């Protein structure tokens, strides 16, 4: 699926991976509808996007009414939706489970990281169907495959997104709506600076970039891939879970104890 002249809705587009993805799609000839909460950032993005016909909608994806307004904007302004990139996400405040506020924190993070993607997909599904063949890209995380202590709330939201995405892929395939997953690993962004890991001589080698994730998103759209990890070699990290479960759990206990204070995998 080529993206030239295709209408691509990108959530969480005001910074980080979402912003870089919007810019790359625009450079490839797509028409962008950018959604995020910070209007001044969206206006700046519009000024940087190559081409014409782009638009933006100030949207908090955790609020379904605002997502309905986004959907109405896309239909009114563009008349179609060929690609939806569900990228908006929150890292949360990393409140240990059992502490006051932990349950409320889970509700807040799930509302953005999981339900936000559900709301956007539900409200834009009719347009995606009318525009088929179309594509939904859900930006998950390796934290949705490999849990690490200290980020249980974020991990739960990404596990939910990964499982839902995989099942939805088969549900929508018959309508020619392709659902793909992109799973970033350790990616320094505004919301996930990874400053402690970047300072570690060994672990900083594991860091990817926003550009690599944006390239992966464009790749799964164009080539209609089911899943991509970023960096690619992260795919191998999942092997020990299946091949050597005791070793896998031992390693995770060590990693969790040492790095629980860090921000989670992006």
């Amino acid at each position: 699926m080529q993206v030239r002249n295709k209408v691509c809705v990108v959530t969480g587009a005001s910074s980080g991976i979402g912003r870089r993805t919007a810019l790359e799609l625009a450079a490839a000839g797509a028409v962008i509808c950018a959604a995020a909460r910070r209007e001044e950032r969206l206006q700046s993005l519009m000024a940087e996007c190559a081409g014409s016909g782009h638009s933006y909608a100030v949207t908090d994806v955790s609020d379904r009414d605002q997502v309905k307004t986004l959907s109405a904007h896309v239909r009114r302004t563009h008349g179609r939706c060929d690609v939806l990139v569900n990228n908006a996400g929150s890292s949360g405040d990393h409140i240990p489970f059992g502490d006051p506020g932990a349950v409320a924190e889970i509700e807040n993070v799930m509302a953005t990281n999981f339900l936000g993607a559900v709301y956007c997909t539900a409200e834009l599904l009719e347009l995606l169907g009318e525009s088929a063949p179309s594509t939904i890209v859900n930006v998950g995380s390796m934290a949705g495959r490999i849990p690490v202590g200290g980020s249980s709330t974020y991990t739960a939201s990404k596990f939910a997104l990964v499982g839902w995405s995989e099942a939805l892929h088969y549900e929508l395939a018959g309508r020619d709506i392709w659902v793909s997953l992109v799973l970033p690993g350790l990616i320094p962004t505004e919301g996930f600076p990874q400053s402690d890991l970047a300072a570690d001589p060994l672990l900083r080698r594991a860091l990817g970039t926003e550009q690599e994730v944006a390239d992966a998103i464009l790749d799964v759209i164009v080539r209609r891939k089911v899943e991509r990890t970023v960096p690619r070699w992260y795919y191998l990290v999942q092997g020990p879970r299946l091949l050597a479960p005791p070793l896998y759990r031992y390693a995770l206990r060590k990693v969790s104890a040492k790095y629980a204070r860090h921000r989670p995998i992006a």
Side-chain angles (χ1 to χ4, degrees), residues 10 16 27 36 58 65 70 72 76 81 87 95 103 109 127 134 142 154 171 177 194 228 244 256:
V10 182
V58 178
D65 287 337
L70 167 64
R76 181 178 64 253
C81 179
N87 167 75
I95 300 173
V103 172
V109 172
L127 269 175
S134 52
M142 284 304 294
Y154 181 81
E171 287 186 28
I177 302 173
Q194 310 289 6
R228 271 285 308 273
S256 296

Side-chain angles (χ1 to χ4, degrees), residues 196-206:
D196 290 338
L197 298 180
D200 188 299
L202 178 61
L203 290 177
R204 66 185 173 200
R205 297 175 181 273

Side-chain angles (χ1 to χ4, degrees), residues 213-225 228 232:
V213 182
D215 289 343
I217 291 171
L218 190 59
D219 184 47
V220 299
I221 295 170
V222 171
R223 301 175 65 184
R224 290 201 124 188
K225 290 186 175 182
R228 271 285 308 273
R232 285 180 182 271

Side-chain angles (χ1 to χ4, degrees), residues 27-238:
V31 177
I32 303 302
C33 177
R37 294 176 298 175
R38 296 176 288 185
E39 185 169 17
E40 70 282 358
R41 293 285 192 94
L42 291 172
Q43 291 172 339
S44 174
L45 172 65
M46 292 294 99
E48 293 184 51
C49 281
S52 61
H54 310 302
S55 72
Y56 72 85
V58 178
T59 309
D60 181 345
V61 298
S62 69
D63 184 329
R64 191 167 185 181
D65 287 337
Q66 291 191 36
V67 176
K68 288 180 179 179
T69 300
L70 167 64
S71 178
H73 165 83
V74 176
R75 182 176 287 279
R76 181 178 64 253
T77 305
H78 302 288
R80 61 186 297 115
C81 179
D82 301 282
V83 176
L84 168 61
V85 180
N86 285 313
N87 167 75
S90 169
S91 63
D93 294 328
H94 315 298
I95 300 173
F97 193 74
D99 285 6
V103 172
E105 180 67 7
I106 290 175
E107 292 172 340
N108 291 336
V109 172
M110 288 292 287
T112 299
N113 293 2
F114 176 57
L115 290 177
V118 172
Y119 295 157
C120 289
T121 302
E123 298 302 332
L124 287 164
L125 190 60
E126 184 175 346
L127 269 175
L128 286 160
E130 293 171 3
S131 306
S134 52
T135 300
I136 299 166
V137 181
N138 290 330
V139 180
S141 168
M142 284 304 294
R145 295 285 193 198
I146 301 172
V148 177
S151 60
S152 58
T153 296
Y154 181 81
T155 296
S157 70
K158 292 301 184 179
F159 260 80
L161 182 61
V162 166
W164 178 69
S165 299
E166 290 191 346
L168 193 65
H169 174 87
Y170 300 105
E171 287 186 28
L172 298 182
R175 299 172 61 177
D176 209 7
I177 302 173
W178 191 264
V179 180
S180 298
L181 260 175
V182 172
L183 302 173
L186 297 163
I187 312 292
T189 65
E190 180 180 320
F192 304 89
Q194 310 289 6
S195 53
D196 290 338
L197 298 180
D200 188 299
L202 178 61
L203 290 177
R204 66 185 173 200
R205 297 175 181 273
L207 297 177
T209 67
E210 295 173 357
Q211 184 65 56
E212 288 176 318
V213 182
D215 289 343
I217 291 171
L218 190 59
D219 184 47
V220 299
I221 295 170
V222 171
R223 301 175 65 184
R224 290 201 124 188
K225 290 186 175 182
V226 177
E227 182 178 320
R228 271 285 308 273
T229 58
V230 185
R232 285 180 182 271
W233 64 264
Y234 269 59
Y235 186 81
L236 300 175
V237 177
Q238 304 174 66

